[in-house]
Amino acid sequence: MRIVIAIGGNALLHRGERADAATQLRNVTSAAEQIAWVAERHQVLIVHGNGPQVGMLAEESERDPTLERGYPLDTLVAETQGMIGYWLAQNIGRRLPDTPVGALVTQVVVSAADPAFDRPDKPIGPYYPTEEAERLSDERGWEFTKEEHGMRRVVPSPRPIRVIELPIIKRLLDQGCVVIAGGGGGVPVASDRSGVEGVVDKDLVAALLAEQIRADLLVILTDVPYVYAHYGTPRERPLVLTSPEELDAMAFTAGSMRPKIDAVCAFARATGRPATIGALNELVAVITGARGTHIREGRALGRRQR
């Protein structure tokens, strides 16, 4: 099978963990072990998130007194592609010494007229206490959203239109490479390839790539084992098998689970092939169908649960 695996940035840097390189490398090493198991048996394209990492770099850049202004987000996305892509390639390559593994800096075309630029909703970076978030909003013009663990910066997240490096990605997969591409949703660029200030959602890019490379399965990994109906209420229940139609009728948070739902539904509808959402530390069980939420086009199936 040809499988696209999307790894969330929060899965590589868990909530409450320090953003030390050693911490993230430990999490990447654990992920790489399971990805290598899959890649021994299937063709694999890996897309990774970068929300915590790009936000951390943006904050460091803004605070640097030697700079006239902080680095733009498109440049920081490219920087995190290199960092996380290197970590993944290094650790997967150790486990698959006879398989070429490559990380590709990837550009994604977006529209300058996308309404997302007027409604920032993509969380990046660390959590802030309310008072500090208010100060940063006044000083830097940043916008914030309130989450369970504190205030978090939000930036525009335009929809992906086209992946510029798609022909290269296809060629590498056809030649038997494990490919890491679309990191952080890809570097957002305009049609003339000039950088755009924003962060593209990596799940939507993963779905777009999965459709265009004719993947047999799209797997989106995060830090929860299932999609939950009525999440956070006494009626909460895990969905094991569901459909785009059933998911459409449910409410999900715009900046976190909603893009994942949109991505798997778009892929299932466009291709008729399955998609799965599950936990990074259960990747093998998710691939084999033992864990995770499995989405298939057709009649509502979500009443099945564990």
Side-chain angles (χ1 to χ4, degrees), residues 112-133:
D114 194 305
F117 291 110
D118 297 321
R119 297 193 303 270
D121 67 357
K122 180 68 174 175
I124 65 169
Y127 294 95
Y128 295 91
T130 301
E131 289 185 2
E132 186 174 2

Side-chain angles (χ1 to χ4, degrees), residues 242-276:
T242 186
S243 68
E245 291 76 19
E246 184 171 32
L247 292 172
D248 283 344
M250 299 180 183
F252 298 97
T253 305
S256 56
M257 188 56 76
R258 182 76 256 174
K260 296 173 176 54
I261 299 300
D262 290 345
V264 295
C265 289
F267 175 74
R269 285 189 169 116
T271 67
R273 293 188 284 275
T276 300

Side-chain angles (χ1 to χ4, degrees), residues 146-185:
K146 184 174 179 58
E147 296 188 0
E148 180 183 355
H149 302 279
M151 303 293 288
R152 204 166 177 207
R153 184 187 175 190
V154 289
V155 299
S157 184
R159 293 188 71 84
I161 297 173
R162 178 170 61 90
V163 177
I164 290 177
E165 287 77 16
L166 178 63
I168 303 172
I169 294 168
K170 286 181 175 178
R171 184 175 299 179
L172 290 172
L173 286 170
D174 289 342
Q175 292 178 352
C177 300
V178 175
V179 182
I180 303 160

Side-chain angles (χ1 to χ4, degrees), residues 8 62 82 88 91 124 139 147 157 165 170 182 197 214 264 282:
E62 289 285 347
L88 286 167
N91 281 276
I124 65 169
E139 290 180 0
E147 296 188 0
S157 184
E165 287 77 16
K170 286 181 175 178
E197 189 76 1
R214 299 183 181 275
V264 295
E282 296 177 337

Side-chain angles (χ1 to χ4, degrees), residues 176-245:
C177 300
V178 175
V179 182
I180 303 160
V187 179
V189 298
S191 57
D192 65 356
R193 303 200 184 193
S194 58
V196 173
E197 189 76 1
V199 174
V200 182
D201 186 83
K202 70 96 180 40
D203 297 312
L204 298 181
V205 170
L208 180 63
L209 283 169
E211 179 184 349
Q212 293 180 336
I213 68 168
R214 299 183 181 275
D216 299 291
L217 175 66
L218 168 63
V219 179
I220 294 181
L221 300 172
T222 183
D223 53 357
V224 295
Y226 296 96
V227 176
Y228 291 88
H230 310 293
Y231 180 73
T233 74
R235 299 170 61 199
E236 176 180 297
R237 63 183 175 89
L239 297 173
V240 175
L241 183 60
T242 186
S243 68
E245 291 76 19

Side-chain angles (χ1 to χ4, degrees), residues 55-67 69-71 126-129 132-133 135-136 139-140 142:
M56 178 187 69
L57 292 179
E59 183 181 32
E60 291 176 352
S61 179
E62 289 285 347
R63 287 182 175 179
D64 189 336
T66 66
L67 299 177
R69 60 181 296 272
Y71 278 41
Y127 294 95
Y128 295 91
E132 186 174 2
R135 178 181 61 80
L136 290 170
E139 290 180 0
R140 302 177 189 169
W142 288 2

